[in-house]
Amino acid sequence: MSRRVLLPCALLALSVLLPCFVGNSGNGSHGRALRMLREGTAAPKATTETPKPKEAPKETPKAETPKAETPKSVALVQVTKENTIATASVLGGLTGLLLGGFWIGAAGFVATSYLAKKEDDDVSTVLKGVSSASLEALNFVDYLNQKYEVSGQVGAALSDALDTSEGETSSSVKSALGTVNGAIDSFDKDIGIRETLGGLVLAGSDLANQLATKVVELNKEYKVTDQLKSKIDEAVASSKSA
């Protein structure tokens, strides 16, 4: 009889205590598992976060050092192709002028202007080589003059000699030299002697080359030299027969 009484009492106590046990354990992991089982959802898988790679430290930009400026050329005449051809023309004209006078000099200027501009020609190569050597020599002389101040020393010596000498001659020479130097300096500032002369020489060389090219074309068309040669041969033959 006691067993029949105790069994219903135990079932009643269990039915009362079980909900309390489940409600109190809901805050723990077992409670969450029980709720998830009741709701029919699976427990979330533990996710492991992959560590992000560390960024390399950014390099601070270095301050750019200013580039050293290359010194400009101080050559009196730049050794370029145009200047070389122009110098060859001038040398040919001066040589002809010294040997045969004005007309020979003009012919030499025209001929050298034409020959110096020809490409892949032995005569042109020789003329350009001589012209380049002349320009290099001129620039070297100007370099020595600037380095040792030769012209300045000569001018100072001349001025000292005029100062030490007495008389009207020295004073007149000094005034004349001062006037000439002042006129040259003012003319150079206004006109630019070196640039103007260089432009004139280049233009003259181009015109002489065009003239020579035209003469060569006319000679090929009308065979002037062949006719002259035949006339000369006829005159020589007639003089021999006579």
Side-chain angles (χ1 to χ4, degrees):
M1 188 71 184
S2 61
R3 290 181 180 177
R4 291 179 181 177
V5 175
L6 291 174
L7 183 59
C9 293
L11 291 175
L12 180 62
L14 183 61
S15 62
V16 173
L17 294 176
L18 184 61
C20 297
F21 173 77
V22 173
N24 293 333
S25 62
N27 295 330
S29 60
H30 297 289
R32 287 196 300 270
L34 289 174
R35 284 200 304 271
M36 292 173 67
L37 287 174
R38 284 202 301 257
E39 294 174 358
T41 58
K45 296 181 180 180
T47 57
T48 57
E49 295 182 357
T50 57
K52 296 180 179 180
K54 295 182 179 180
E55 296 181 357
K58 296 181 179 180
E59 296 182 356
T60 56
K62 297 181 180 179
E64 295 182 357
T65 56
K67 296 180 180 180
E69 295 183 356
T70 55
K72 295 182 180 179
S73 175
V74 293
L76 182 63
V77 182
Q78 299 292 331
V79 184
T80 60
K81 182 179 179 180
E82 292 79 9
N83 291 340
T84 301
I85 294 173
T87 305
S89 304
V90 172
L91 291 176
L94 290 176
T95 304
L97 181 64
L98 293 175
L99 294 178
F102 176 77
W103 294 110
I104 302 299
F109 182 82
V110 173
T112 50
S113 299
Y114 173 74
L115 293 174
K117 284 196 173 184
K118 296 181 69 175
E119 300 292 339
D120 299 331
D121 186 78
D122 294 337
V123 177
S124 175
T125 303
V126 172
L127 290 175
K128 290 177 183 178
V130 173
S131 177
S132 299
S134 302
L135 289 178
E136 293 290 349
L138 180 62
N139 291 330
F140 182 70
V141 171
D142 181 68
Y143 165 75
L144 293 179
N145 181 36
Q146 292 181 0
K147 183 177 181 180
Y148 298 104
E149 299 180 354
V150 178
S151 58
Q153 293 179 4
V154 171
L158 180 60
S159 179
D160 293 339
L162 292 174
D163 290 337
T164 54
S165 62
E166 297 179 356
E168 297 180 356
T169 305
S170 61
S171 60
S172 61
V173 170
K174 287 177 64 177
S175 62
L177 289 176
T179 304
V180 171
N181 289 333
I184 291 175
D185 291 338
S186 62
F187 182 74
D188 188 20
K189 289 179 181 179
D190 296 336
I191 305 299
I193 297 174
R194 188 173 69 177
E195 290 79 7
T196 304
L197 288 177
L200 289 174
V201 171
L202 290 175
S205 177
D206 290 337
L207 291 175
N209 177 62
Q210 294 176 10
L211 176 61
T213 304
K214 192 65 177 179
V215 169
V216 170
E217 291 176 357
L218 292 174
N219 181 42
K220 288 181 180 179
E221 183 177 357
Y222 297 103
K223 301 183 182 302
V224 178
T225 54
D226 294 339
Q227 294 178 11
L228 288 175
K229 184 177 180 298
S230 63
K231 294 294 183 182
I232 292 171
D233 292 340
E234 289 177 1
V236 171
S238 64
S239 64
K240 286 182 178 180
S241 62

